């Protein structure tokens, strides 16, 4: 019986580790995500601060309507979300576990709450860039956002 239990747990472990692997077909790719992905970051010499370096391509879009499709990564608990991170990979792909790296993410602030979902959503809002310490606040945000159906 012990051996059977061990084998069962072993298979369950493999199933969970398989789900944690990155599935390339889940990755959201778009021209707007490419613009976001071009942002570079510079660490202070003592690693206490990090700043975004914005190129001209993203700077010219700042303060204007911008649309992204992605996956909700909640900042707070709850089924209804108004402020969250939007990612190019789904939350169940375990991008914090060290296997896949951290995907591109943008902070989203909606004018009306939306239900949490594991499916992608499309959001339209005003692109906001911040030169503050990126370790304290998101350097790229979509503010006054609305979910596009």
């Amino acid at each position: 019986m012990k051996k059977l239990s061990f084998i069962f747990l072993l298979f369950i472990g493999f199933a969970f580790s398989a789900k944690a692997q990155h599935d390339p077909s889940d990755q959201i790719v778009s021209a707007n995500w490419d613009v976001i992905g071009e942002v570079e970051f510079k660490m202070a010499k003592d690693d206490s601060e990090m700043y975004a370096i914005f190129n001209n391509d993203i700077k010219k879009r700042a303060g204007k309507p911008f649309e992204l499709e992605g996956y909700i990564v909640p900042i707070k608990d709850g089924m209804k979300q108004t402020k969250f991170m939007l990612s190019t990979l789904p939350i169940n792909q375990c991008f914090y576990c060290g296997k896949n790296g951290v995907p591109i993410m943008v902070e989203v602030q909606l004018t009306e709450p939306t239900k949490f979902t594991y499916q992608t959503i499309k959001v339209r809002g005003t692109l906001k860039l911040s030169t503050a310490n990126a370790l304290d606040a998101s350097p790229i945000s979509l503010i006054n956002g609305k979910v596009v159906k």
Side-chain angles (χ1 to χ4, degrees):
M1 183 67 176
K2 266 187 166 178
K3 188 175 182 180
L4 185 60
S5 296
F6 173 75
I7 292 171
F8 178 71
L9 290 173
L10 187 63
F11 280 114
I12 288 177
F14 282 124
F16 278 103
S17 65
K19 286 189 180 268
Q21 298 299 316
H22 172 65
D23 181 353
S25 68
D26 287 340
Q27 179 97 34
I28 301 297
V29 179
S30 72
N32 282 353
W33 276 115
D34 289 346
V35 169
I36 301 296
E38 291 296 318
V39 174
E40 295 182 13
F41 293 90
K42 181 180 178 183
M43 289 293 291
K45 289 185 182 185
D46 62 358
D47 290 339
S48 64
E49 298 177 341
M50 181 171 64
Y51 296 96
I53 301 169
F54 301 112
N55 63 28
N56 288 333
D57 195 22
I58 196 167
K59 284 181 184 177
K60 71 182 179 185
R61 290 171 164 74
K64 297 179 180 171
F66 199 77
E67 191 171 285
L68 286 171
E69 179 181 4
Y71 298 93
I72 295 174
V73 177
I75 296 172
K76 293 183 179 178
D77 288 341
M79 286 307 294
K80 297 245 179 182
Q81 301 286 317
T82 55
K83 185 176 180 181
F84 54 89
M85 300 302 288
L86 194 68
S87 171
T88 58
L89 284 173
I91 194 170
N92 66 353
Q93 296 240 356
C94 185
F95 39 78
Y96 294 115
C97 66
K99 294 179 185 171
N100 299 321
V102 177
I104 302 169
M105 286 196 263
V106 170
E107 182 179 311
V108 174
Q109 297 174 22
L110 298 177
T111 56
E112 296 180 18
T114 190
K115 279 182 105 173
F116 174 79
T117 178
Y118 288 103
Q119 304 302 313
T120 62
I121 65 166
K122 191 177 286 188
V123 178
R124 183 179 299 129
T126 302
L127 186 65
K128 178 183 173 190
L129 306 178
S130 172
T131 56
N133 183 355
L135 297 176
D136 296 330
S138 179
I140 307 166
S141 302
L142 281 180
I143 59 171
N144 300 319
K146 294 186 185 315
V147 175
V148 179
K149 303 271 180 189

